[in-house]
Amino acid sequence: MAYNVLVMAEVEPYRTILPMIEEQCRVVRWHPDDDAWRAELGDIDGIYVYAHIKVGPELMDSMPKLKVISNFGVGVDHVDLAAAQQRGIPVGNTPNVLDGATADITFALLLAGARNIVKGDHFARGPNFVEYDPSFMLGQEVHHQTLGIVGLGNIGYQVARRAQGFDMTVLYHNRNRNAQAEAELGVRYVSLDELLAQSDFVALNMPLTDETRGMIGRRELALMKESAVLVNAARGGVIDHEALLQTLQAGKLHAAALDVTEPEPLPRDHPLFALDNVIIIPHLGSATEQTRQAMSDRSVGNLLAGLEGKELLSRII
Ligand code: 8YV
C-alpha cells in the first residue's frame, strides 16, 4: 500500500468510507484513550477526520510526511487552518454537496418551531389529549413572514430559495454582500441588529469562526421579537447557550430549534431539555443517505488527490 492514512473517528465512519480508503491505503485508526496509533505517526501521509475531532499543530508536527488533511463535512472549525497553512498542508472539505440537505433541515426546524410540531406530537400521544380544542397550541404563521438569514453562503442561499416558496420576505447578514443572491432572489442586506429586530424567523447558517463565536448573545436575543423562532443549523458555538436558556425560560422567544449545540451533545441533565419551547435534534443537517454518500465520495476523493500531490476536489486552504 502506497500511503498510510490516520482515520480520526470516534465512531464507525459511514459505510462506504473505509472500503474506499482501504482500496489504496493502509488505515491506522486513531483512538481517544489508546495511544497505539501514536507509534505510527512517523509514517502517516494523510489524515481523514470524521465528526469534528480536533486537529491541532502538535499533531501535524508529529507527522513529518503529512501531505493532506481531509475533513468529512464542510465546517472545519475543529481543524487549525492557520497551522495547516503555515505548514503547507492542504485541507479538504465537502462544500456544495450538502447544501440542499442542510437547507431542508433548516426549513424543517423553522416549520417545526413555528407550528409546535414536536410539542404537538408529544401532546397527541399523551394522556391529556382527550378532547380537541381549537384554541390550543397556536403557532406562528410562516408564509408571508420575514426570514432573516445570518450567513448567506451556499447553504443560506438554498434556505432563501426555499423561503421564496413560502412567499417570505428575506433579509440577510453576511461578512460580505452577496450581489448575485440579491439580484436572483431579491434578498435584502441589513445589519445584524436590524435583521434580529425585523425578522419573524432567524436562521443561523454561518460557519463557526473567531468572528461568529458567541455572535448571538444576551443583547442579540433581546433584540428579537417575542414571537420569533431562532433556528441554528450552523454550529452550537455561534449562540451563547446560557443567554438562550434564560431567554427561553423567560418566554422571550416563541421557540428555538437547534440542530447543533455547544457542547455537543449537551450534558444529559442540561436545563434546556426541561423547556418545551426548544427543539433539539442531534446534528442531522446533512444526514440523508444521498448526502452522506456524496460527502464520502468528495472527502475520500480529496484525501486521495492530496496523497498523490494533486489539486483537491474542494479545499478550504
Ligand atoms: C456533518 C456538518 O454531518 O458539514 C458540516 O459542517 O456540520 C455536518 O453536515 C458533519 O460535519 C460530519 O461530521
Side-chain angles (χ1 to χ4, degrees):
M1 292 275 165
Y3 301 110
N4 296 305
V5 171
L6 182 67
V7 173
M8 302 182 69
E10 295 208 50
V11 293
E12 213 38 45
Y14 178 77
R15 61 177 178 268
T16 58
I17 292 173
L18 288 180
M20 284 194 287
I21 299 177
E22 279 167 343
E23 250 175 55
Q24 304 194 41
C25 310
R26 184 177 149 258
V27 165
V28 175
R29 289 297 294 265
W30 171 95
H31 197 282
D33 312 315
D34 172 354
D35 274 356
W37 54 278
R38 291 190 182 277
E40 312 252 14
L41 290 179
D43 294 323
I44 297 295
D45 301 286
I47 297 180
Y48 185 84
V49 199
Y50 189 80
H52 320 137
I53 296 169
K54 288 211 179 329
V55 181
E58 304 79 33
L59 189 64
M60 297 176 200
D61 287 339
S62 66
M63 303 180 188
K65 292 169 67 182
L66 186 62
K67 298 172 188 64
V68 61
I69 299 170
S70 175
N71 183 61
F72 178 81
V74 66
V76 281
D77 43 281
H78 50 290
V79 178
D80 189 330
L81 296 180
Q85 192 155 34
Q86 275 167 12
R87 289 157 181 76
I89 302 164
V91 178
N93 67 343
T94 66
N96 309 119
V97 295
L98 45 66
D99 298 346
T102 311
D104 285 349
I105 209 107
T106 304
F107 236 85
L109 286 170
L110 185 158
L111 289 164
R115 300 300 305 273
N116 299 318
I117 300 294
V118 176
K119 210 190 318 189
D121 174 86
H122 290 159
F123 185 74
R125 293 164 192 257
N128 296 332
F129 186 38
V130 286
E131 192 172 25
Y132 171 62
D133 176 354
S135 302
F136 70 21
M137 299 204 129
L138 303 187
Q140 298 294 332
E141 203 97 321
V142 173
H143 65 93
H144 293 96
Q145 304 301 296
T146 297
L147 168 64
I149 301 175
V150 184
L152 198 77
N154 296 325
I155 296 169
Y157 185 96
Q158 291 299 327
V159 173
R161 285 196 59 209
R162 281 151 180 75
Q164 287 188 317
F166 285 77
D167 298 310
M168 299 178 93
T169 299
V170 180
L171 309 176
Y172 79 98
H173 182 74
N174 203 49
R175 258 173 315 181
N176 307 305
R177 278 182 76 149
N178 186 334
Q180 190 187 347
E182 288 180 25
E184 289 172 358
L185 303 177
V187 297
R188 189 157 66 84
Y189 176 85
V190 289
S191 69
L192 180 62
D193 285 7
E194 209 177 324
L195 180 147
L196 294 168
Q198 288 184 18
S199 298
D200 302 299
F201 298 90
V202 173
L204 306 177
N205 293 111
M206 69 285 225
L208 177 64
T209 63
D210 290 345
E211 283 170 334
T212 63
R213 182 171 290 284
M215 194 176 211
I216 306 298
R218 198 170 310 281
R219 191 189 75 82
E220 289 72 24
L221 290 164
L223 290 173
M224 291 179 66
K225 298 180 182 179
E226 290 197 7
S227 56
V229 175
L230 175 65
V231 178
N232 188 4
R235 283 289 182 269
V238 302
I239 299 181
D240 171 347
H241 278 57
E242 189 52 39
L244 178 64
L245 175 69
Q246 287 170 13
T247 304
L248 290 167
Q249 279 171 335
K252 298 282 185 195
L253 281 181
H254 176 68
L258 313 174
D259 184 37
V260 286
T261 57
E262 172 114 336
E264 193 170 279
L266 290 173
R268 296 299 81 195
D269 59 351
H270 196 282
L272 271 177
F273 294 140
L275 304 180
D276 71 354
N277 52 355
V278 62
I279 295 170
I280 306 179
I281 57 171
H283 201 144
L284 298 179
S286 58
T288 66
E289 291 287 353
Q290 297 86 341
T291 295
R292 284 284 180 261
Q293 187 57 57
M295 292 166 70
S296 305
D297 293 344
R298 178 71 64 87
S299 55
V300 174
N302 283 336
L303 174 76
L304 299 177
L307 290 172
E308 287 169 13
K310 295 183 187 154
E311 199 44 56
L312 308 196
L313 308 173
S314 32
R315 63 186 278 185
I316 186 98
I317 57 154

